[in-house]
Amino acid sequence: MAVVKDEGESRQLKRKGALYSFKSMLVRLSGSDSRPAGQYRKYVEKTEEIFFSFTTQLGRYLVTMMSTEVILAIGFQLSGGDSQMNTLIWYSWLGGIIIGTMIGANMVLEEHCKAGPRNVVVTGSTRGLGKALAREFLLSGDRVVIASRSHESVHQTVEELRENLKEGISVSGNKARTNLSHAMVVGIACDVCKPEDVRKLANFAVAELGSVDIWINNAGTNKGFRPLLQFTDDDIDQIVSTNLVGSLLCTREAIRVMGSQGKGGHIFNMDGAGSGGSSTPLTAVYGSTKCGLRQLQASLLKECKRSKVGVHTASPGMVLTDLLLSGSTLRNKQMFNIICELPETVARTLVPRMRVVKGNGKAINYLTPPRILLALVTAWLRRGRWFDEQGRALYAAEADRIRNWAESRARFSFTDAMEMYSENTWVSVFSLSVVCAFIILSSSGTAFPGT
């Protein structure tokens, strides 16, 4: 059972760092009490939090500015002067990107390591991507509630994930083992199309975890690739009920739970083909539901604008799951070789971003433009990656794939942090610092050799 820290304790956990240590030292030397009483104390603490946050960001920027100035100074010396300005600019930008990425990646790595454990609910999590997401959260030291229609599937998946966690603990170092010791997984049968089931899921999550930090609406269905005329009444009802109505019901319950927590939380609806309004021939019903979810997202951005509940989208791209493969043709499978990925690979990219998401209305995507470009450029190398020429699967079964997954994926590496940082707005700040440093050095009277 998770123990929920009160607001005062949470504030104490946040108030760490060199600036707070320096302030505490000054208070002890002066002998004064730094803890005003009542409402005034809250105002003082809020002011301190804003001030120290601003000072920290400013400090990081100044450090980057000075670092890029050093790189530019070297660039001036190496370039030989104005006649080789192109070389100078190249060195300047390259240096700024390297320094910015290193500093930014360390910031992300530090933030990720401190961000835990999370209390997470994942619907549709007894197979495919949902199961992979639940496993990845679990191996990050989080507490997870899984949900699916079948009692048997839920029980079996809970036992399997607990075995994965044991494996992860057994192969981890002392620090990682301490982090994983907080992890737990429980489950409940839930049909997301039924309001009473969704309410039971929300109440079960609060009873087991104490609160909910992240809620992922992953439950979905497709019913194959074929023209609309070939979809039965039951097919259409199941797709719309699961993908759209289910997400609406779950989002409503998640907002209710998170809105009453004080600290809020974050909700993720899964994007899919058609979410941007593009056509989805042969999957018209599925595409319509995903387009509806995008409208829901736009509406909730305004409804939740002043609350602490963030509503986001997660786009896994094309994942090798039963949902994608049902009714797929040989031609589909040849395309899957180029653009598809295994559920575990996608979950490994999405989960770290979900764990540290802030604000509202964020879009966390697996298929980023660089990944799409890489897939297209290397398309000739990806032939036969997942399916042979007859459409037979070449990839290993899930049990074989995850045999060593706990050991290889229980760690969050520096390269993971660099990838996350590439999506951060600090890239713009660091690029700006290079330009500013370039202007400062160009207009200064300091003479470098060859200038």
Side-chain angles (χ1 to χ4, degrees), residues 2 117-121 142-143 209-215 263:
R118 296 287 194 249
N119 297 333
V120 186
V121 174
D142 298 323
R143 297 180 281 256
L209 306 180
S211 63
V212 178
D213 299 311
I214 299 171
W215 184 302
K263 64 177 181 178

Side-chain angles (χ1 to χ4, degrees), residues 75-373:
F76 266 109
Q77 292 176 325
L78 294 176
S79 66
D82 293 337
S83 61
Q84 300 183 19
M85 186 62 68
N86 289 337
T87 305
L88 168 62
I89 293 174
W90 167 254
Y91 284 131
S92 303
W93 280 97
L94 181 61
I97 290 172
I98 292 173
I99 292 174
T101 303
M102 296 291 285
I103 295 176
N106 275 300
M107 289 163 53
V108 172
L109 188 63
E110 179 183 8
E111 183 178 20
H112 182 273
C113 292
K114 290 180 178 179
R118 296 287 194 249
N119 297 333
V120 186
V121 174
V122 187
T123 66
S125 44
T126 57
R127 60 179 180 172
L129 179 62
K131 186 178 179 180
L133 290 171
R135 182 186 297 112
E136 197 62 47
F137 276 112
L138 197 62
L139 294 180
S140 298
D142 298 323
R143 297 180 281 256
V144 184
V145 172
I146 67 168
S148 183
R149 286 191 181 97
S150 168
H151 289 274
E152 293 75 15
S153 296
V154 169
H155 176 74
Q156 181 180 345
T157 304
V158 166
E159 293 301 317
E160 182 180 332
L161 292 177
R162 285 173 178 170
E163 286 300 318
N164 295 154
L165 179 59
K166 289 179 182 178
E167 293 172 10
I169 293 175
S170 66
V171 299
S172 299
N174 291 334
K175 186 175 181 180
R177 191 176 293 117
T178 301
N179 184 43
L180 290 177
S181 65
H182 300 290
M184 61 170 283
V185 58
V186 291
I188 183 175
C190 173
D191 184 346
V192 297
C193 307
K194 299 178 179 179
E196 61 274 15
D197 274 21
V198 177
R199 279 191 289 270
K200 288 179 182 178
L201 170 60
N203 294 334
F204 175 81
V206 172
E208 291 290 330
L209 306 180
S211 63
V212 178
D213 299 311
I214 299 171
W215 184 302
I216 303 172
N217 292 320
N218 177 73
T221 187
N222 186 8
K223 299 295 181 181
F225 295 82
R226 56 185 189 273
L228 179 61
L229 282 174
Q230 297 180 17
F231 281 83
T232 66
D233 293 344
D234 287 341
D235 289 338
I236 294 175
D237 181 64
Q238 287 185 34
I239 295 172
V240 174
S241 296
T242 304
N243 298 2
L244 186 55
V245 177
S247 295
L248 280 164
L249 294 174
C250 287
T251 300
R252 183 184 65 181
E253 284 304 306
I255 292 175
R256 178 183 65 81
V257 170
M258 294 174 179
S260 64
Q261 292 176 165
K263 64 177 181 178
H266 298 279
I267 304 166
F268 289 90
N269 286 306
M270 303 302 287
D271 257 357
S275 60
S278 59
S279 62
T280 55
L282 304 184
T283 56
V285 186
Y286 176 87
S288 299
T289 61
K290 292 302 179 181
C291 189
L293 286 179
R294 183 61 67 90
Q295 200 282 334
L296 171 66
Q297 169 77 3
S299 299
L300 292 179
L301 281 179
K302 295 184 177 181
E303 286 188 17
C304 300
K305 188 175 182 179
R306 299 186 181 278
S307 76
K308 295 183 179 180
V309 180
V311 184
H312 317 277
T313 59
S315 179
M318 301 184 75
V319 189
L320 288 172
T321 61
D322 294 340
L323 178 65
L324 178 70
L325 298 177
S326 61
S328 59
T329 64
L330 177 61
R331 185 178 179 181
N332 295 144
K333 291 179 179 178
Q334 297 306 320
M335 182 189 65
F336 295 163
N337 281 329
I338 299 174
I339 206 73
C340 277
E341 291 295 343
L342 295 169
E344 296 82 12
T345 304
V346 176
R348 178 58 187 161
T349 298
L350 297 183
V351 165
R353 291 161 172 77
M354 290 176 170
R355 296 184 77 246
V356 297
V357 71
K358 291 182 176 64
N360 197 3
K362 300 298 173 61
I364 298 179
N365 304 321
Y366 176 79
L367 272 181
T368 55
R371 278 200 177 93
I372 296 173
L373 179 62

Side-chain angles (χ1 to χ4, degrees), residues 40-96:
Y40 176 67
R41 174 183 174 182
K42 294 182 179 179
Y43 289 138
V44 170
E45 289 177 341
K46 185 63 177 178
T47 303
E48 287 178 348
E49 183 180 341
I50 295 173
F51 171 76
F52 287 124
S53 176
F54 172 79
T55 305
T56 301
Q57 301 298 330
L58 179 62
R60 286 170 174 165
Y61 182 77
L62 291 176
V63 168
T64 307
M65 281 287 294
M66 290 186 290
S67 301
T68 50
E69 286 177 10
V70 172
I71 294 295
L72 285 169
I74 296 173
F76 266 109
Q77 292 176 325
L78 294 176
S79 66
D82 293 337
S83 61
Q84 300 183 19
M85 186 62 68
N86 289 337
T87 305
L88 168 62
I89 293 174
W90 167 254
Y91 284 131
S92 303
W93 280 97
L94 181 61

Side-chain angles (χ1 to χ4, degrees), residues 315-441:
S315 179
M318 301 184 75
V319 189
L320 288 172
T321 61
D322 294 340
L323 178 65
L324 178 70
L325 298 177
S326 61
S328 59
T329 64
L330 177 61
R331 185 178 179 181
N332 295 144
K333 291 179 179 178
Q334 297 306 320
M335 182 189 65
F336 295 163
N337 281 329
I338 299 174
I339 206 73
C340 277
E341 291 295 343
L342 295 169
E344 296 82 12
T345 304
V346 176
R348 178 58 187 161
T349 298
L350 297 183
V351 165
R353 291 161 172 77
M354 290 176 170
R355 296 184 77 246
V356 297
V357 71
K358 291 182 176 64
N360 197 3
K362 300 298 173 61
I364 298 179
N365 304 321
Y366 176 79
L367 272 181
T368 55
R371 278 200 177 93
I372 296 173
L373 179 62
L374 178 64
L376 295 177
V377 170
T378 61
W380 62 280
L381 292 173
R382 294 175 175 239
R383 294 175 183 173
R385 190 165 63 134
W386 308 126
F387 302 95
D388 63 15
E389 294 180 355
Q390 286 73 43
R392 292 173 297 200
L394 300 176
Y395 54 93
E398 183 187 47
D400 296 326
R401 297 200 305 265
I402 65 172
R403 186 163 289 126
N404 298 318
W405 195 256
E407 180 177 2
S408 63
R409 289 306 182 185
R411 298 181 296 271
F412 185 74
S413 66
F414 185 77
T415 54
D416 295 323
M418 288 181 65
E419 185 179 4
M420 287 179 63
Y421 169 71
S422 66
E423 300 175 0
N424 198 294
T425 54
W426 272 94
V427 172
S428 301
V429 177
F430 288 129
S431 299
L432 177 62
S433 71
V434 177
V435 177
C436 291
F438 177 80
I439 294 173
I440 292 171
L441 287 178

